[in-house]
PDB file of all heavy atoms in Angstrom:
ATOM      1  N   ASP A1060      13.412  17.528 -22.125  1.00  0.00           N
ATOM      2  CA  ASP A1060      12.027  17.787 -21.849  1.00  0.00           C
ATOM      3  C   ASP A1060      11.165  17.687 -23.099  1.00  0.00           C
ATOM      4  O   ASP A1060      10.093  17.108 -23.083  1.00  0.00           O
ATOM      5  CB  ASP A1060      11.842  19.168 -21.229  1.00  0.00           C
ATOM      6  CG  ASP A1060      10.404  19.464 -20.876  1.00  0.00           C
ATOM      7  OD1 ASP A1060       9.864  18.842 -19.985  1.00  0.00           O
ATOM      8  OD2 ASP A1060       9.833  20.344 -21.478  1.00  0.00           O
ATOM      9  N   MET A1061      11.670  18.276 -24.182  1.00  0.00           N
ATOM     10  CA  MET A1061      10.921  18.233 -25.462  1.00  0.00           C
ATOM     11  C   MET A1061      10.719  16.814 -25.978  1.00  0.00           C
ATOM     12  O   MET A1061       9.580  16.448 -26.288  1.00  0.00           O
ATOM     13  CB  MET A1061      11.652  19.074 -26.518  1.00  0.00           C
ATOM     14  CG  MET A1061      10.928  19.202 -27.849  1.00  0.00           C
ATOM     15  SD  MET A1061      11.298  17.825 -29.018  1.00  0.00           S
ATOM     16  CE  MET A1061      13.008  18.117 -29.329  1.00  0.00           C
ATOM     17  N   TYR A1062      11.806  16.027 -25.986  1.00  0.00           N
ATOM     18  CA  TYR A1062      11.621  14.646 -26.453  1.00  0.00           C
ATOM     19  C   TYR A1062      10.762  13.831 -25.535  1.00  0.00           C
ATOM     20  O   TYR A1062       9.985  12.980 -26.000  1.00  0.00           O
ATOM     21  CB  TYR A1062      13.011  14.006 -26.617  1.00  0.00           C
ATOM     22  CG  TYR A1062      13.773  14.421 -27.835  1.00  0.00           C
ATOM     23  CD1 TYR A1062      14.978  15.112 -27.758  1.00  0.00           C
ATOM     24  CD2 TYR A1062      13.248  14.200 -29.103  1.00  0.00           C
ATOM     25  CE1 TYR A1062      15.684  15.492 -28.913  1.00  0.00           C
ATOM     26  CE2 TYR A1062      13.935  14.582 -30.268  1.00  0.00           C
ATOM     27  CZ  TYR A1062      15.139  15.256 -30.131  1.00  0.00           C
ATOM     28  OH  TYR A1062      15.791  15.634 -31.290  1.00  0.00           O
ATOM     29  N   SER A1063      10.816  14.096 -24.276  1.00  0.00           N
ATOM     30  CA  SER A1063       9.928  13.400 -23.277  1.00  0.00           C
ATOM     31  C   SER A1063       8.512  13.740 -23.496  1.00  0.00           C
ATOM     32  O   SER A1063       7.638  12.847 -23.547  1.00  0.00           O
ATOM     33  CB  SER A1063      10.389  13.676 -21.835  1.00  0.00           C
ATOM     34  OG  SER A1063      11.734  13.373 -21.620  1.00  0.00           O
ATOM     35  N   LYS A1064       8.248  15.031 -23.610  1.00  0.00           N
ATOM     36  CA  LYS A1064       6.827  15.453 -23.769  1.00  0.00           C
ATOM     37  C   LYS A1064       6.280  15.011 -25.121  1.00  0.00           C
ATOM     38  O   LYS A1064       5.024  14.892 -25.257  1.00  0.00           O
ATOM     39  CB  LYS A1064       6.724  16.985 -23.630  1.00  0.00           C
ATOM     40  CG  LYS A1064       7.101  17.515 -22.274  1.00  0.00           C
ATOM     41  CD  LYS A1064       6.092  17.189 -21.203  1.00  0.00           C
ATOM     42  CE  LYS A1064       6.523  17.729 -19.843  1.00  0.00           C
ATOM     43  NZ  LYS A1064       6.667  19.141 -19.781  1.00  0.00           N
ATOM     44  N   CYS A1065       7.120  14.805 -26.114  1.00  0.00           N
ATOM     45  CA  CYS A1065       6.685  14.365 -27.440  1.00  0.00           C
ATOM     46  C   CYS A1065       6.598  12.822 -27.454  1.00  0.00           C
ATOM     47  O   CYS A1065       6.369  12.241 -28.559  1.00  0.00           O
ATOM     48  CB  CYS A1065       7.642  14.864 -28.531  1.00  0.00           C
ATOM     49  SG  CYS A1065       7.498  16.661 -28.791  1.00  0.00           S
ATOM     50  N   GLY A1066       6.825  12.166 -26.361  1.00  0.00           N
ATOM     51  CA  GLY A1066       6.656  10.698 -26.263  1.00  0.00           C
ATOM     52  C   GLY A1066       7.852   9.902 -26.837  1.00  0.00           C
ATOM     53  O   GLY A1066       7.630   8.775 -27.256  1.00  0.00           O
ATOM     54  N   VAL A1067       9.040  10.502 -26.829  1.00  0.00           N
ATOM     55  CA  VAL A1067      10.202   9.826 -27.330  1.00  0.00           C
ATOM     56  C   VAL A1067      11.267   9.785 -26.252  1.00  0.00           C
ATOM     57  O   VAL A1067      12.318  10.442 -26.378  1.00  0.00           O
ATOM     58  CB  VAL A1067      10.768  10.444 -28.622  1.00  0.00           C
ATOM     59  CG1 VAL A1067      11.734   9.504 -29.270  1.00  0.00           C
ATOM     60  CG2 VAL A1067       9.616  10.831 -29.568  1.00  0.00           C
ATOM     61  N   PRO A1068      11.064   9.079 -25.130  1.00  0.00           N
ATOM     62  CA  PRO A1068      12.005   9.069 -24.030  1.00  0.00           C
ATOM     63  C   PRO A1068      13.339   8.435 -24.438  1.00  0.00           C
ATOM     64  O   PRO A1068      14.374   8.758 -23.842  1.00  0.00           O
ATOM     65  CB  PRO A1068      11.341   8.248 -22.941  1.00  0.00           C
ATOM     66  CG  PRO A1068      10.321   7.395 -23.666  1.00  0.00           C
ATOM     67  CD  PRO A1068       9.866   8.198 -24.844  1.00  0.00           C
ATOM     68  N   GLU A1069      13.339   7.587 -25.483  1.00  0.00           N
ATOM     69  CA  GLU A1069      14.593   7.026 -25.919  1.00  0.00           C
ATOM     70  C   GLU A1069      15.546   8.127 -26.455  1.00  0.00           C
ATOM     71  O   GLU A1069      16.767   8.095 -26.172  1.00  0.00           O
ATOM     72  CB  GLU A1069      14.367   5.997 -27.061  1.00  0.00           C
ATOM     73  CG  GLU A1069      13.514   4.790 -26.632  1.00  0.00           C
ATOM     74  CD  GLU A1069      11.989   5.070 -26.781  1.00  0.00           C
ATOM     75  OE1 GLU A1069      11.628   6.237 -27.065  1.00  0.00           O
ATOM     76  OE2 GLU A1069      11.226   4.115 -26.630  1.00  0.00           O
ATOM     77  N   ALA A1070      14.973   9.067 -27.211  1.00  0.00           N
ATOM     78  CA  ALA A1070      15.778  10.206 -27.706  1.00  0.00           C
ATOM     79  C   ALA A1070      16.243  11.055 -26.588  1.00  0.00           C
ATOM     80  O   ALA A1070      17.381  11.578 -26.602  1.00  0.00           O
ATOM     81  CB  ALA A1070      14.934  11.014 -28.705  1.00  0.00           C
ATOM     82  N   ALA A1071      15.453  11.249 -25.560  1.00  0.00           N
ATOM     83  CA  ALA A1071      15.846  12.038 -24.395  1.00  0.00           C
ATOM     84  C   ALA A1071      17.016  11.349 -23.703  1.00  0.00           C
ATOM     85  O   ALA A1071      17.993  12.040 -23.291  1.00  0.00           O
ATOM     86  CB  ALA A1071      14.663  12.174 -23.394  1.00  0.00           C
ATOM     87  N   LEU A1072      17.006  10.020 -23.604  1.00  0.00           N
ATOM     88  CA  LEU A1072      18.130   9.331 -23.020  1.00  0.00           C
ATOM     89  C   LEU A1072      19.406   9.461 -23.832  1.00  0.00           C
ATOM     90  O   LEU A1072      20.493   9.614 -23.266  1.00  0.00           O
ATOM     91  CB  LEU A1072      17.774   7.845 -22.874  1.00  0.00           C
ATOM     92  CG  LEU A1072      16.965   7.464 -21.627  1.00  0.00           C
ATOM     93  CD1 LEU A1072      16.422   5.991 -21.792  1.00  0.00           C
ATOM     94  CD2 LEU A1072      17.804   7.618 -20.343  1.00  0.00           C
ATOM     95  N   ARG A1073      19.262   9.454 -25.171  1.00  0.00           N
ATOM     96  CA  ARG A1073      20.433   9.649 -26.035  1.00  0.00           C
ATOM     97  C   ARG A1073      21.043  11.009 -25.834  1.00  0.00           C
ATOM     98  O   ARG A1073      22.298  11.141 -25.817  1.00  0.00           O
ATOM     99  CB  ARG A1073      20.043   9.362 -27.497  1.00  0.00           C
ATOM    100  CG  ARG A1073      19.814   7.932 -27.825  1.00  0.00           C
ATOM    101  CD  ARG A1073      19.830   7.700 -29.350  1.00  0.00           C
ATOM    102  NE  ARG A1073      18.773   8.416 -30.026  1.00  0.00           N
ATOM    103  CZ  ARG A1073      17.574   7.900 -30.226  1.00  0.00           C
ATOM    104  NH1 ARG A1073      17.293   6.668 -29.818  1.00  0.00           N
ATOM    105  NH2 ARG A1073      16.636   8.588 -30.845  1.00  0.00           N
ATOM    106  N   VAL A1074      20.169  12.028 -25.720  1.00  0.00           N
ATOM    107  CA  VAL A1074      20.724  13.405 -25.488  1.00  0.00           C
ATOM    108  C   VAL A1074      21.471  13.437 -24.149  1.00  0.00           C
ATOM    109  O   VAL A1074      22.542  13.983 -24.018  1.00  0.00           O
ATOM    110  CB  VAL A1074      19.564  14.407 -25.482  1.00  0.00           C
ATOM    111  CG1 VAL A1074      20.088  15.756 -25.026  1.00  0.00           C
ATOM    112  CG2 VAL A1074      18.949  14.530 -26.874  1.00  0.00           C
ATOM    113  N   PHE A1075      20.899  12.803 -23.140  1.00  0.00           N
ATOM    114  CA  PHE A1075      21.524  12.801 -21.809  1.00  0.00           C
ATOM    115  C   PHE A1075      22.835  12.062 -21.816  1.00  0.00           C
ATOM    116  O   PHE A1075      23.821  12.521 -21.174  1.00  0.00           O
ATOM    117  CB  PHE A1075      20.537  12.139 -20.814  1.00  0.00           C
ATOM    118  CG  PHE A1075      21.101  12.035 -19.410  1.00  0.00           C
ATOM    119  CD1 PHE A1075      21.061  13.138 -18.573  1.00  0.00           C
ATOM    120  CD2 PHE A1075      21.700  10.847 -18.951  1.00  0.00           C
ATOM    121  CE1 PHE A1075      21.608  13.042 -17.253  1.00  0.00           C
ATOM    122  CE2 PHE A1075      22.211  10.732 -17.692  1.00  0.00           C
ATOM    123  CZ  PHE A1075      22.157  11.838 -16.843  1.00  0.00           C
ATOM    124  N   GLU A1076      22.905  10.965 -22.523  1.00  0.00           N
ATOM    125  CA  GLU A1076      24.152  10.149 -22.525  1.00  0.00           C
ATOM    126  C   GLU A1076      25.281  10.843 -23.156  1.00  0.00           C
ATOM    127  O   GLU A1076      26.470  10.499 -22.915  1.00  0.00           O
ATOM    128  CB  GLU A1076      23.861   8.791 -23.235  1.00  0.00           C
ATOM    129  CG  GLU A1076      22.945   7.906 -22.396  1.00  0.00           C
ATOM    130  CD  GLU A1076      22.424   6.716 -23.263  1.00  0.00           C
ATOM    131  OE1 GLU A1076      22.751   6.660 -24.461  1.00  0.00           O
ATOM    132  OE2 GLU A1076      21.725   5.854 -22.641  1.00  0.00           O
ATOM    133  N   ARG A1077      25.047  11.837 -24.019  1.00  0.00           N
ATOM    134  CA  ARG A1077      26.133  12.568 -24.639  1.00  0.00           C
ATOM    135  C   ARG A1077      26.718  13.702 -23.755  1.00  0.00           C
ATOM    136  O   ARG A1077      27.741  14.331 -24.115  1.00  0.00           O
ATOM    137  CB  ARG A1077      25.643  13.179 -25.962  1.00  0.00           C
ATOM    138  CG  ARG A1077      25.483  12.119 -27.057  1.00  0.00           C
ATOM    139  CD  ARG A1077      25.455  12.779 -28.448  1.00  0.00           C
ATOM    140  NE  ARG A1077      24.271  13.596 -28.616  1.00  0.00           N
ATOM    141  CZ  ARG A1077      23.125  13.181 -29.152  1.00  0.00           C
ATOM    142  NH1 ARG A1077      23.055  11.919 -29.560  1.00  0.00           N
ATOM    143  NH2 ARG A1077      22.089  13.997 -29.313  1.00  0.00           N
ATOM    144  N   VAL A1078      26.073  13.964 -22.616  1.00  0.00           N
ATOM    145  CA  VAL A1078      26.536  14.978 -21.725  1.00  0.00           C
ATOM    146  C   VAL A1078      27.677  14.410 -20.883  1.00  0.00           C
ATOM    147  O   VAL A1078      27.539  13.367 -20.244  1.00  0.00           O
ATOM    148  CB  VAL A1078      25.402  15.475 -20.783  1.00  0.00           C
ATOM    149  CG1 VAL A1078      25.853  16.593 -19.883  1.00  0.00           C
ATOM    150  CG2 VAL A1078      24.243  16.003 -21.643  1.00  0.00           C
ATOM    151  N   GLU A1079      28.789  15.134 -20.842  1.00  0.00           N
ATOM    152  CA  GLU A1079      29.963  14.575 -20.102  1.00  0.00           C
ATOM    153  C   GLU A1079      29.742  14.546 -18.607  1.00  0.00           C
ATOM    154  O   GLU A1079      29.899  13.534 -17.944  1.00  0.00           O
ATOM    155  CB  GLU A1079      31.212  15.408 -20.463  1.00  0.00           C
ATOM    156  CG  GLU A1079      31.668  15.213 -21.917  1.00  0.00           C
ATOM    157  CD  GLU A1079      32.965  15.969 -22.178  1.00  0.00           C
ATOM    158  OE1 GLU A1079      33.497  16.570 -21.195  1.00  0.00           O
ATOM    159  OE2 GLU A1079      33.417  15.938 -23.334  1.00  0.00           O
ATOM    160  N   ASN A1080      29.456  15.726 -18.054  1.00  0.00           N
ATOM    161  CA  ASN A1080      29.281  15.806 -16.612  1.00  0.00           C
ATOM    162  C   ASN A1080      27.900  16.467 -16.278  1.00  0.00           C
ATOM    163  O   ASN A1080      27.829  17.626 -16.017  1.00  0.00           O
ATOM    164  CB  ASN A1080      30.388  16.616 -15.963  1.00  0.00           C
ATOM    165  CG  ASN A1080      31.736  15.968 -16.086  1.00  0.00           C
ATOM    166  OD1 ASN A1080      31.911  14.849 -15.696  1.00  0.00           O
ATOM    167  ND2 ASN A1080      32.694  16.699 -16.691  1.00  0.00           N
ATOM    168  N   PRO A1081      26.836  15.680 -16.398  1.00  0.00           N
ATOM    169  CA  PRO A1081      25.499  16.276 -16.211  1.00  0.00           C
ATOM    170  C   PRO A1081      25.312  16.818 -14.760  1.00  0.00           C
ATOM    171  O   PRO A1081      25.772  16.203 -13.789  1.00  0.00           O
ATOM    172  CB  PRO A1081      24.551  15.091 -16.447  1.00  0.00           C
ATOM    173  CG  PRO A1081      25.377  13.865 -16.249  1.00  0.00           C
ATOM    174  CD  PRO A1081      26.787  14.237 -16.668  1.00  0.00           C
ATOM    175  N   GLY A1082      24.719  17.965 -14.715  1.00  0.00           N
ATOM    176  CA  GLY A1082      24.457  18.562 -13.416  1.00  0.00           C
ATOM    177  C   GLY A1082      23.047  18.317 -12.924  1.00  0.00           C
ATOM    178  O   GLY A1082      22.288  17.539 -13.517  1.00  0.00           O
TER     179      GLY A1082
END
Side-chain angles (χ1 to χ4, degrees):
D1060 179 68
M1061 183 273 294
Y1062 282 119
S1063 299
K1064 297 289 178 63
C1065 291
V1067 194
E1069 299 87 351
L1072 276 169
R1073 287 197 296 272
V1074 172
F1075 177 82
E1076 289 167 357
R1077 287 198 293 267
V1078 182
E1079 291 185 4
N1080 296 304

